[in-house]
Amino acid sequence: MTFLAILIGLLPSFLLVGLGGLLRKRLSANAWQGLDKLNFEILFPALLFVAASQRPLEVGQVVGIAPLVWALLAVGLVVGYGARRFGPERFLDFAGAWQTAWRFNTALAFIAIATTGKADAGVMAVAIGMAVPMANVFAVSALSRGGSFGLWGTVKKVALNPFLIASLGGVLVGLSGMTIPAPVLAPLEMLAAAAIPIALISVGATMNWGALARLDAFSGIICATKLLVMPVAALVLSLALGLESGVAVVLVIWAALPTASAAHVLASGFGADRELSATLVAQTTLLGAVSLPVWITLAEVVF
């Protein structure tokens, strides 16, 4: 049942990616790049802000969970770098793909959490709220380095990144318990609702469909890092620290998520190879349809 529930939850995403593939030649390359720019600057920042700000956060939860998700992100960062010698020669292109080793699909997190009775969506919201800023610090830092911005340029790029500003702002609002007025929240929610569909369609339009089923050494290491190494690390960490069941299950599910559907948007925003990152998004999503139900089932049995 878990396996079937996850597949059903992923089906709309698969269909949108497929739609992008069908529409690929209907729009020019400039039009697809314009959609990526819209997503990077406006739509996904709205999604990140709304997701974090509309779920009340407690300081105790944040302090307990934040170091755990940060440590797991660091595992993805370090292990994923092992693919460097198999990847593109230009570091910027590698950085655009490298980020997929630790970033995660936020929308799928809440679909996955609904399939188990041992975890709470509120705890997942805290994990996501703490993970998004750090994941984007890692990603933006790598992409900025690849763009030869220098130390100050990298710091500036990280600090002004729309993803980072939006996610940090959402966490602060969530911690404060502040209620955003409905007239202000409504347009933000409308923008947020458009982010994932547009990103998935763009993924399908820019993806190398011929390479989707052919995992080479580079993409194999990246996918294995995201779908195998990170959840194994989460499982070991949870057992070693004796975490309570609800937190442990959330941690394993979060670590096992396919990479973020917006990864190619961020890569494109920095001038990296968007087709490579889009293909990795598709590969981890398809492989994750098989691996994620397994990890959810295993977490339920162990914890």
Side-chain angles (χ1 to χ4, degrees):
M1 289 301 293
T2 299
F3 184 82
L4 182 59
I6 292 294
L7 286 181
I8 292 173
L10 283 171
L11 183 59
S13 297
F14 292 154
L15 292 177
L16 284 177
V17 172
L19 177 61
L22 293 175
L23 296 176
R24 180 180 214 157
K25 296 182 179 180
R26 300 286 293 180
L27 297 178
S28 67
N30 287 337
W32 290 117
Q33 290 172 3
L35 282 177
D36 282 348
K37 185 73 171 177
L38 176 66
N39 241 343
F40 179 72
E41 297 286 351
I42 298 174
L43 300 184
F44 254 95
L47 174 64
L48 293 173
F49 179 81
V50 170
S53 65
Q54 296 309 293
R55 294 177 174 85
L57 304 178
E58 297 179 4
V59 175
Q61 286 181 316
V62 172
V63 172
I65 293 176
L68 302 178
V69 296
W70 293 344
L72 291 171
L73 288 171
V75 169
L77 177 83
V78 173
V79 177
Y81 191 78
R84 177 68 183 107
R85 66 192 182 98
F86 300 105
E89 181 178 347
R90 192 172 69 140
F91 185 83
L92 179 60
D93 293 331
F94 168 72
W98 184 24
Q99 59 164 329
T100 65
W102 65 82
R103 295 186 64 198
F104 53 93
N105 189 318
T106 300
L108 185 56
F110 293 103
I111 295 172
I113 209 70
T115 66
T116 175
K118 289 193 173 182
D120 179 73
V123 178
M124 179 63 81
V126 173
I128 290 172
M130 291 298 95
V132 164
M134 187 61 70
N136 282 302
V137 165
F138 287 169
V140 172
S141 297
L143 286 161
S144 297
R145 176 193 162 193
S148 302
F149 289 99
L151 178 60
W152 172 242
T154 298
V155 171
K156 186 177 179 181
K157 277 282 186 181
V158 169
L160 297 180
N161 177 257
F163 283 31
L164 180 61
I165 293 172
S167 53
L168 283 178
V171 168
L172 291 175
V173 172
L175 285 172
S176 70
M178 182 189 309
T179 299
I180 301 175
V184 176
L185 181 61
L188 289 175
E189 289 179 329
M190 293 172 68
L191 291 172
I196 291 176
I198 289 179
L200 290 173
I201 290 172
S202 185
V203 164
T206 58
M207 185 170 58
N208 183 350
W209 287 87
L212 181 59
R214 298 195 302 271
L215 289 172
D216 56 18
F218 176 70
S219 59
I221 291 173
I222 295 292
C223 292
T225 299
K226 184 69 204 75
L227 302 177
L228 181 61
V229 176
M230 283 187 64
V232 166
L235 190 67
V236 171
L237 185 63
S238 298
L239 290 172
L241 297 178
L243 298 180
E244 62 177 281
S245 175
V247 174
V249 172
V250 164
L251 206 60
V252 172
I253 292 175
W254 168 80
L257 293 170
T259 198
S261 59
H264 81 296
V265 177
L266 187 63
S268 178
F270 280 83
D273 184 343
R274 70 198 292 270
E275 184 174 322
L276 177 60
S277 57
T279 299
L280 282 163
V281 168
Q283 288 173 335
T284 61
T285 300
L286 290 170
L287 292 172
V290 177
S291 64
L292 186 56
V294 174
W295 283 112
I296 294 174
T297 303
L298 182 60
E300 288 183 330
V301 170
V302 173
F303 301 106

